[in-house]
Amino acid sequence: SSGINAEYGDGRGSTLPTRINPHHSKDGPSYVKKKTKKVVQKPSGVKSLQTIELEIANDTSEPYKPPIQTYNSQKEKERLNDILVFGTDKPIPKPKPLPAIVKPPKDRFDEIQEEIDERREFLREMESLGQADEHRQRIETEISQYIREMEVIDRKRNQELLKLKETKAD
């Protein structure tokens, strides 16, 4: 026949029974204990007032004390700013100052001479442009003031030279 034939466990060659007791085996029926559901109460997350009071009463730990603050927010801001500006929070070594080249102070007498030369040059340029008459009086006044200042400086220097000659002659 086209049906599936399988030998029954005892070798008779008959077909398997269509219905079988689920607890049936060669050794005889086994007794399966029915699973009993244990009622487990899941915590709802809300404690009762009594539970909280008991926990507080039985608590032996010290009250919370925040750690001592060693953090300085201003220094931290400066450090982060250095990182943004320089790419590192390490201080950049300052360049060594170059030895200052000290130029001797320019002599006031020479400065005045240069000023006079500049004024005369300006007056010549204005003459070539045809505008000398507008500036001539002001420029000549400035030049005469510079000449007076030069005369004062010259007198002081002559007096100092005389004093030096007198001290060396003694």
Side-chain angles (χ1 to χ4, degrees):
S1 76
S2 65
I4 299 176
N5 286 334
E7 288 189 21
Y8 194 56
D10 59 357
R12 292 182 268 164
S14 62
T15 60
L16 293 172
T18 55
R19 292 187 179 208
I20 188 167
N21 184 353
H23 303 293
H24 178 77
S25 69
K26 283 185 187 179
D27 303 330
S30 63
Y31 298 97
V32 177
K33 296 178 185 174
K34 288 187 178 181
K35 294 182 181 177
T36 57
K37 289 188 177 181
K38 292 182 181 177
V39 178
V40 178
Q41 290 183 345
K42 295 182 181 177
S44 63
V46 179
K47 294 181 183 179
S48 68
L49 178 62
Q50 291 175 336
T51 308
I52 294 171
E53 287 175 346
L54 277 172
E55 287 178 359
I56 291 172
N58 294 334
D59 189 18
T60 58
S61 64
E62 294 182 28
Y64 174 76
K65 292 180 184 175
I68 298 170
Q69 184 177 7
T70 59
Y71 174 80
N72 185 339
S73 64
Q74 188 61 33
K75 284 184 179 178
E76 184 66 8
K77 285 179 191 176
E78 290 172 7
R79 186 183 75 81
L80 292 173
N81 189 38
D82 287 345
I83 290 173
L84 285 173
V85 173
F86 304 116
T88 178
D89 58 344
K90 304 284 188 251
I92 296 175
K94 294 179 181 175
K96 294 178 182 176
L98 298 173
I101 300 171
V102 180
K103 293 181 180 178
K106 201 166 192 179
D107 186 30
R108 179 67 182 147
F109 196 85
D110 294 334
E111 286 179 16
I112 294 172
Q113 184 61 48
E114 288 176 11
E115 290 287 333
I116 292 172
D117 293 342
E118 286 177 17
R119 298 301 190 277
R120 287 185 175 148
E121 180 63 31
F122 176 76
L123 199 54
R124 275 188 233 113
E125 287 177 19
M126 291 298 116
E127 284 176 353
S128 67
L129 295 172
Q131 298 178 358
D133 294 335
E134 298 173 24
H135 300 284
R136 187 178 314 275
Q137 187 175 0
R138 180 176 54 88
I139 298 297
E140 287 178 356
T141 305
E142 288 177 10
I143 290 173
S144 65
Q145 288 174 345
Y146 283 132
I147 290 173
R148 276 187 239 122
E149 189 176 344
M150 288 175 79
E151 289 171 352
V152 170
I153 292 171
D154 190 44
R155 271 188 245 128
K156 284 182 183 177
R157 286 185 180 172
N158 285 337
Q159 288 174 355
E160 289 172 5
L161 282 173
L162 285 174
K163 286 180 183 177
L164 282 173
K165 285 182 181 178
E166 290 175 2
T167 55
K168 285 186 180 179
D170 292 337

